[in-house]
Amino acid sequence: MCHSATLVQTKGQLAPPSPPNFARDVPGRVMIPAYARPAHHRLRAKLAEIAAWNENEGPMQVIDGDRALGIITSGISYQHVREAAPRARVLKIGLSYPLPVEAMRRFAASVERALVVEEGDPYLYEGARTAGIAVEQKPEMYRFGELNVSRLRRIVAGDVSPEPALPAGKPPELCPGCPHRNVFEVLRDLDCIVAGDIGCYTLGVLPPFSAMDTCVCMGAAIGVGLGLRHSLPPEQARKVVSVIGDSTFVHSGITGLVEMVYNPPATGHVLVILDNGTTAMTGMQEHPGTGRRLDHEATGRVVFEDLARTLGIKNVHIIDPVADEEAIARVLREALARDELSVIIARRLCLLAAGAIKIREKKANAGQ
Ligand SMILES: Cc1ncc(C[n+]2csc(CCOP(=O)(O)OP(=O)(O)O)c2C)c(N)n1
Ligand code: SF4
């Protein structure tokens, strides 16, 4: 869905929000069991109301066409449908939960062949079938990967012959000069078991580093690393390192750090925070560790080393992985050899963000 862009027509101004005012509503906002039970009834009633509205005046569109083929679809698939089957009659669903099943039923009855077209798993299709509506779904092979106009043409034709192979793409890689590179070279050379996380640095999984063994969800590096340390035999447990980016650490890694202190594995643990001073992967946003707000104005800063020491971790190291390439290998080797907790902060600005960050820092210093 991220792969589509279009012009949109904006509607008129929305009514301005009413002025903020706290109106006490304890049964509505405090979900103790006595209030949660009636709240469940209110939720179902609200959903029924939305469903009725969706059926009658919801954001749904019927595009008239040849009744030999009717297509029920929504979202980006609608664009593919219009291009691949311009003559078909189409029901475009705008709000898909609760599903407007009666509108789907009427639409399916109005055409000779009703086909549901949707990305991925068959949500619209199963909703229709559960309601007893006779519709076709796309063949199983089109459940995988993205839909596009040529696949849509094949779906409409019921073509399940093998698809032409996609041209081999160039795998993504860390920028040349990226500060994460040196850290992953060391993790690879020390043959660590790396519990990784999500960010630019996830590319440490690919050659030439091949130095990441797990990546589950934002912040999981620490919990997964601790789990491995607790459960693996000591000779393997001693190789486990959790690696997390700075933005990911503040997003949802801090609870893992608390757990590391509270339930330390017998072999200790090593956490590497890759502090490149920005949220590189998603567009260089600020985060609580940079000391600047999203609009780059100065604000309070969460200082990782202070946090780790305050939580009781004795071995806290701050290393510039580019200026002192050798230090990262030495400190990591020492940390792995100790049955203690260590936090290594590899601090070096992302190469692509460094220029802008330095200008912001200069401005902030001049204003002090
Ligand atoms: C729960 C969740 N929210 C948001 C995202 C999108 N996301 C992917 S990577 C990333 C941030 C990575 O930043 P950082 O940890 O600083 O690593 P960097 O890219 O700078 O190396 C975000 C927000 C996500 N994957 N999961
Ligand atoms: S954008 Fe920054 S953090 Fe991401 S790969 Fe490039 S240099 Fe590294």
Side-chain angles (χ1 to χ4, degrees):
M1 282 180 283
C2 302
H3 299 173
S4 64
T6 187
L7 292 174
V8 295
Q9 279 177 343
T10 53
K11 288 194 175 166
Q13 285 286 313
L14 294 173
S18 47
N21 172 49
F22 184 79
R24 181 160 287 135
D25 175 14
V26 175
R29 299 201 184 105
V30 184
M31 286 304 110
I32 58 171
Y35 295 149
R37 281 188 282 268
H40 191 187
H41 286 279
R42 288 200 301 279
L43 175 67
R44 296 311 314 176
K46 201 186 286 183
L47 283 170
E49 206 181 311
I50 296 171
W53 170 82
N54 197 22
E55 292 283 3
N56 298 316
E57 44 184 315
M60 200 174 349
Q61 237 179 306
V62 175
I63 293 87
D64 206 5
D66 184 346
R67 292 181 184 240
L69 173 64
I71 299 180
I72 299 174
T73 188
S74 76
I76 181 63
S77 301
Y78 167 75
Q79 306 295 343
H80 303 324
V81 164
R82 293 291 286 147
E83 209 172 326
R87 294 222 301 271
R89 186 171 157 83
V90 179
L91 171 63
K92 180 190 178 197
I93 292 173
L95 179 68
S96 53
Y97 185 84
L99 258 186
V101 278
E102 294 315 317
M104 292 164 81
R105 194 187 309 281
R106 278 194 305 277
F107 180 83
S110 75
V111 294
E112 285 163 37
R113 176 188 170 205
L115 171 68
V116 175
V117 170
E118 58 193 318
E119 293 275 359
D121 290 342
Y123 168 72
L124 299 177
Y125 171 76
E126 282 178 0
R129 296 293 296 141
T130 307
I133 305 169
V135 287
E136 277 175 46
Q137 65 172 327
K138 60 186 191 288
E140 177 73 5
M141 64 186 279
Y142 300 104
R143 183 189 278 222
F144 307 96
E146 285 177 66
L147 294 184
N148 55 34
V149 177
S150 54
R151 292 190 100 194
L152 238 299
R153 289 198 181 105
R154 290 169 58 97
I155 291 171
V156 170
D159 185 351
V160 290
S161 64
E163 294 179 271
L166 291 173
K170 178 183 167 295
E173 58 178 324
L174 292 169
C175 299
C178 171
H180 297 333
R181 284 181 163 262
N182 291 352
V183 178
F184 283 103
E185 274 171 15
V186 171
L187 291 164
R188 174 198 61 202
D189 294 346
L190 295 180
D191 192 27
C192 294
I193 297 172
V194 179
D197 223 301
I198 301 179
C200 279
Y201 54 95
T202 315
L203 292 172
V205 69
L206 296 179
F209 313 105
S210 308
M212 190 172 290
D213 295 285
T214 69
C215 175
V216 182
C217 64
M218 270 190 104
I222 308 179
V224 170
L226 289 171
L228 290 169
R229 281 264 180 177
H230 282 297
S231 54
L232 290 176
E235 66 280 9
Q236 280 195 324
R238 284 201 176 86
K239 288 179 160 189
V240 178
V241 178
S242 290
V243 175
I244 192 167
D246 49 350
S247 169
T248 306
F249 176 70
V250 285
H251 176 76
S252 51
I254 294 173
T255 35
L257 187 64
V258 172
E259 167 65 13
M260 176 163 140
V261 172
Y262 186 56
N263 279 318
T267 58
H269 190 42
V270 181
L271 168 64
V272 177
I273 303 176
L274 299 169
D275 184 1
N276 61 0
T278 189
T279 316
M281 190 183 189
T282 50
M284 316 292 178
Q285 294 87 359
E286 306 285 359
H287 60 69
T290 68
R292 289 178 300 275
R293 300 185 315 208
L294 281 181
D295 62 2
H296 310 303
E297 288 301 315
T299 183
R301 175 173 168 228
V302 175
V303 181
F304 304 152
E305 52 273 35
D306 291 355
L307 180 66
R309 289 191 188 109
T310 305
L311 287 174
I313 295 170
K314 292 192 189 68
N315 308 303
V316 178
H317 308 270
I318 300 147
I319 294 165
D320 181 334
V322 175
D324 197 353
E325 214 178 325
E326 189 276 328
I328 190 94
R330 179 174 36 81
V331 170
L332 196 54
R333 210 178 290 114
E334 286 167 7
L336 289 168
R338 280 190 298 258
D339 288 346
E340 293 176 3
L341 301 179
S342 300
V343 171
I344 301 171
I345 299 164
R347 181 165 287 150
R348 176 83 177 200
L349 293 180
C350 155
L351 197 69
L352 296 194
I357 293 175
K358 281 180 186 154
I359 291 170
R360 279 174 217 141
E361 282 173 349
K362 224 183 227 173
K363 264 192 202 160
N365 291 340
Q368 272 173 5

PDB file of all heavy atoms in Angstrom, residues 174-175 178-180 200 276 280 284 350-352, ligand 2:
ATOM      1  N   LEU A 174      23.719  -1.115   3.817  1.00  0.00           N
ATOM      2  CA  LEU A 174      24.070   0.057   4.615  1.00  0.00           C
ATOM      3  C   LEU A 174      24.885   1.002   3.733  1.00  0.00           C
ATOM      4  O   LEU A 174      25.679   0.552   2.907  1.00  0.00           O
ATOM      5  CB  LEU A 174      24.907  -0.359   5.827  1.00  0.00           C
ATOM      6  CG  LEU A 174      24.191  -1.178   6.903  1.00  0.00           C
ATOM      7  CD1 LEU A 174      25.188  -1.746   7.899  1.00  0.00           C
ATOM      8  CD2 LEU A 174      23.148  -0.339   7.636  1.00  0.00           C
ATOM      9  N   CYS A 175      24.687   2.321   3.912  1.00  0.00           N
ATOM     10  CA  CYS A 175      25.449   3.289   3.114  1.00  0.00           C
ATOM     11  C   CYS A 175      26.945   3.051   3.312  1.00  0.00           C
ATOM     12  O   CYS A 175      27.376   2.669   4.402  1.00  0.00           O
ATOM     13  CB  CYS A 175      25.172   4.713   3.595  1.00  0.00           C
ATOM     14  SG  CYS A 175      23.479   5.243   3.483  1.00  0.00           S
ATOM     15  N   CYS A 178      28.604   4.175   6.674  1.00  0.00           N
ATOM     16  CA  CYS A 178      27.609   4.125   7.762  1.00  0.00           C
ATOM     17  C   CYS A 178      28.298   3.667   9.053  1.00  0.00           C
ATOM     18  O   CYS A 178      29.034   2.679   9.051  1.00  0.00           O
ATOM     19  CB  CYS A 178      26.507   3.149   7.397  1.00  0.00           C
ATOM     20  SG  CYS A 178      25.394   2.840   8.784  1.00  0.00           S
ATOM     21  N   PRO A 179      28.056   4.357  10.173  1.00  0.00           N
ATOM     22  CA  PRO A 179      28.728   3.954  11.419  1.00  0.00           C
ATOM     23  C   PRO A 179      28.317   2.571  11.916  1.00  0.00           C
ATOM     24  O   PRO A 179      29.049   1.960  12.695  1.00  0.00           O
ATOM     25  CB  PRO A 179      28.302   5.036  12.417  1.00  0.00           C
ATOM     26  CG  PRO A 179      27.129   5.712  11.812  1.00  0.00           C
ATOM     27  CD  PRO A 179      27.245   5.568  10.335  1.00  0.00           C
ATOM     28  N   HIS A 180      27.181   2.062  11.476  1.00  0.00           N
ATOM     29  CA  HIS A 180      26.774   0.717  11.907  1.00  0.00           C
ATOM     30  C   HIS A 180      27.710  -0.358  11.353  1.00  0.00           C
ATOM     31  O   HIS A 180      27.815  -1.452  11.900  1.00  0.00           O
ATOM     32  CB  HIS A 180      25.359   0.379  11.413  1.00  0.00           C
ATOM     33  CG  HIS A 180      24.269   1.277  11.953  1.00  0.00           C
ATOM     34  ND1 HIS A 180      24.348   1.923  13.144  1.00  0.00           N
ATOM     35  CD2 HIS A 180      23.056   1.603  11.425  1.00  0.00           C
ATOM     36  CE1 HIS A 180      23.232   2.620  13.341  1.00  0.00           C
ATOM     37  NE2 HIS A 180      22.436   2.442  12.310  1.00  0.00           N
ATOM     38  N   CYS A 200      17.775   0.918  10.102  1.00  0.00           N
ATOM     39  CA  CYS A 200      18.773   0.726   9.038  1.00  0.00           C
ATOM     40  C   CYS A 200      19.644  -0.476   9.356  1.00  0.00           C
ATOM     41  O   CYS A 200      20.017  -1.262   8.486  1.00  0.00           O
ATOM     42  CB  CYS A 200      19.678   1.949   8.946  1.00  0.00           C
ATOM     43  SG  CYS A 200      18.988   3.320   8.027  1.00  0.00           S
ATOM     44  N   ASN A 276      23.039   6.601  16.509  1.00  0.00           N
ATOM     45  CA  ASN A 276      23.469   7.430  15.380  1.00  0.00           C
ATOM     46  C   ASN A 276      22.772   8.792  15.389  1.00  0.00           C
ATOM     47  O   ASN A 276      22.751   9.499  14.392  1.00  0.00           O
ATOM     48  CB  ASN A 276      23.249   6.700  14.041  1.00  0.00           C
ATOM     49  CG  ASN A 276      21.786   6.376  13.802  1.00  0.00           C
ATOM     50  OD1 ASN A 276      20.931   6.693  14.638  1.00  0.00           O
ATOM     51  ND2 ASN A 276      21.484   5.747  12.682  1.00  0.00           N
ATOM     52  N   ALA A 280      17.055   7.019  11.509  1.00  0.00           N
ATOM     53  CA  ALA A 280      17.480   7.104  10.104  1.00  0.00           C
ATOM     54  C   ALA A 280      16.500   6.424   9.152  1.00  0.00           C
ATOM     55  O   ALA A 280      16.111   6.983   8.137  1.00  0.00           O
ATOM     56  CB  ALA A 280      18.871   6.499   9.961  1.00  0.00           C
ATOM     57  N   MET A 284      14.903  10.272   9.330  1.00  0.00           N
ATOM     58  CA  MET A 284      15.737  11.172  10.147  1.00  0.00           C
ATOM     59  C   MET A 284      14.937  11.991  11.169  1.00  0.00           C
ATOM     60  O   MET A 284      15.231  13.157  11.389  1.00  0.00           O
ATOM     61  CB  MET A 284      16.532  12.155   9.256  1.00  0.00           C
ATOM     62  CG  MET A 284      17.185  11.550   8.050  1.00  0.00           C
ATOM     63  SD  MET A 284      18.508  10.442   8.548  1.00  0.00           S
ATOM     64  CE  MET A 284      19.071   9.830   6.977  1.00  0.00           C
ATOM     65  N   CYS A 350      24.700   9.322  12.117  1.00  0.00           N
ATOM     66  CA  CYS A 350      24.387   8.775  10.792  1.00  0.00           C
ATOM     67  C   CYS A 350      25.025   9.703   9.764  1.00  0.00           C
ATOM     68  O   CYS A 350      24.861  10.927   9.830  1.00  0.00           O
ATOM     69  CB  CYS A 350      22.865   8.741  10.623  1.00  0.00           C
ATOM     70  SG  CYS A 350      22.285   8.781   8.928  1.00  0.00           S
ATOM     71  N   LEU A 351      25.710   9.116   8.808  1.00  0.00           N
ATOM     72  CA  LEU A 351      26.450   9.911   7.833  1.00  0.00           C
ATOM     73  C   LEU A 351      25.521  10.854   7.059  1.00  0.00           C
ATOM     74  O   LEU A 351      25.870  11.999   6.786  1.00  0.00           O
ATOM     75  CB  LEU A 351      27.148   8.956   6.863  1.00  0.00           C
ATOM     76  CG  LEU A 351      28.272   9.545   6.043  1.00  0.00           C
ATOM     77  CD1 LEU A 351      29.456   9.872   6.934  1.00  0.00           C
ATOM     78  CD2 LEU A 351      28.700   8.530   4.982  1.00  0.00           C
ATOM     79  N   LEU A 352      24.350  10.392   6.733  1.00  0.00           N
ATOM     80  CA  LEU A 352      23.440  11.204   5.916  1.00  0.00           C
ATOM     81  C   LEU A 352      22.772  12.317   6.724  1.00  0.00           C
ATOM     82  O   LEU A 352      22.346  13.313   6.170  1.00  0.00           O
ATOM     83  CB  LEU A 352      22.355  10.330   5.276  1.00  0.00           C
ATOM     84  CG  LEU A 352      22.809   9.279   4.284  1.00  0.00           C
ATOM     85  CD1 LEU A 352      21.622   8.746   3.501  1.00  0.00           C
ATOM     86  CD2 LEU A 352      23.863   9.819   3.333  1.00  0.00           C
TER      87      LEU A 352
HETATM   88  S1  SF4 B   2      20.982   6.374   6.437  1.00  0.00           S
HETATM   89 FE1  SF4 B   2      22.511   6.611   8.067  1.00  0.00          FE
HETATM   90  S2  SF4 B   2      22.142   4.922   9.481  1.00  0.00           S
HETATM   91 FE2  SF4 B   2      21.093   4.425   7.575  1.00  0.00          FE
HETATM   92  S3  SF4 B   2      22.534   3.183   6.401  1.00  0.00           S
HETATM   93 FE3  SF4 B   2      22.852   5.305   5.755  1.00  0.00          FE
HETATM   94  S4  SF4 B   2      24.457   6.133   7.094  1.00  0.00           S
HETATM   95 FE4  SF4 B   2      23.680   4.234   8.012  1.00  0.00          FE
END
